[in-house]
Amino acid sequence: MAYTKAVITDPYYDQPKWMPNEVRRKPYLCLSSEASSQDVELFLTHLLGYMNISVDHSMEHSLQELFEQEHVAISGGVAFFEDEQTYILPSCCCGLEDYPEIVATIGNKQSPWLGHDPSPELTYTNHQVYVWPDEPTGSESQSNCIAFSYEELQESLATTSQEIIGFIEGPLDRWIRQENAALAETMKEKMKQWILK
């Protein structure tokens, strides 16, 4: 059965000097309570890099600078999976911070902004939703898309929302809390405000 995940994409920024391990790079990272400490390090590297936060200072200095931001931007968003090998990722200029708008747009049976070059798009036919890897022209075969029933997609997005909370309250919180409990509490509050609104 098809499913959705919240992801960050293209996380290739310089890692903070205060991280103890070499960051393991991968093209995308799914956010959930199952994320490893290496996943958290990759997430923080990407978040700080995307926000142009200096990573040459202490963790406290970097995170305090991040907390001063009213909003964040981080490359990613909702990814649609048929299975682990077949998926459609958000593309250029789509951000994880747009997650609530993406969910609301799908709730209104419209196609949300999922980036460009390519431009993923959703189309709706009766109770079916088709997720296309690029803007459909009408001549594509449905074998090129990932299909959901509308109810399945709504249920999957609700699960994805819980997975984001699980990531924030679980692996991300634990990783920061090992160093500084006060920073961990602030990060938890800020992440929910920035990503889940």
Side-chain angles (χ1 to χ4, degrees):
M1 184 169 84
Y3 57 95
T4 59
K5 292 285 183 183
V7 299
I8 60 167
T9 54
D10 299 320
Y12 297 110
Y13 291 92
D14 292 337
Q15 81 175 69
K17 305 287 186 214
W18 38 265
M19 280 194 179
N21 306 306
E22 184 67 28
V23 170
R24 296 181 191 164
R25 313 292 178 158
K26 45 184 151 179
Y28 70 91
L29 170 66
C30 296
L31 306 182
S32 79
S33 61
E34 304 299 313
S36 67
S37 60
Q38 292 85 11
D39 292 337
V40 171
E41 290 167 2
L42 183 60
F43 176 82
L44 287 171
T45 296
H46 188 50
L47 175 60
L48 295 170
Y50 209 83
M51 289 298 296
N52 260 342
I53 303 294
S54 173
V55 292
D56 293 329
H57 303 295
S58 67
M59 181 177 81
E60 290 79 5
H61 185 280
S62 296
L63 292 184
Q64 288 295 352
E65 189 177 339
L66 179 68
F67 297 157
E68 291 169 8
Q69 308 304 310
E70 189 174 336
H71 306 284
V72 295
I74 184 166
S75 177
V78 177
F80 302 85
F81 290 80
E82 190 168 298
D83 53 46
E84 290 186 7
Q85 288 76 41
T86 307
Y87 50 83
I88 298 170
L89 296 176
S91 60
C92 184
C93 301
C94 190
L96 184 61
E97 71 279 3
D98 296 327
Y99 178 78
E101 289 81 10
I102 292 169
V103 172
T105 302
I106 292 171
N108 292 325
K109 293 190 174 182
Q110 297 172 328
S111 186
W113 166 255
L114 296 172
H116 67 94
D117 195 24
S119 301
E121 190 170 309
L122 276 65
T123 57
Y124 300 83
T125 306
N126 298 321
H127 297 292
Q128 288 293 114
V129 184
Y130 301 98
V131 184
W132 302 89
D134 201 1
E135 185 176 2
T137 62
S139 61
E140 293 89 355
S141 161
Q142 286 186 346
S143 64
N144 293 339
C145 67
I146 297 174
F148 292 81
S149 74
Y150 183 71
E151 292 75 18
E152 285 171 347
L153 181 53
Q154 290 291 78
E155 288 172 13
S156 187
L157 288 169
T159 299
T160 299
S161 296
Q162 290 305 308
E163 289 175 340
I164 294 171
I165 293 169
F167 174 77
I168 293 168
E169 293 182 345
L172 181 62
D173 180 68
R174 283 192 302 272
W175 196 96
I176 298 172
R177 191 170 294 277
Q178 289 176 358
E179 300 297 322
N180 187 310
L183 288 176
E185 282 301 316
T186 304
M187 182 62 126
K188 200 161 35 174
E189 292 169 19
K190 289 286 192 178
M191 284 297 299
K192 289 177 182 177
Q193 174 190 325
W194 289 329
I195 305 302
L196 298 171
K197 298 181 183 100

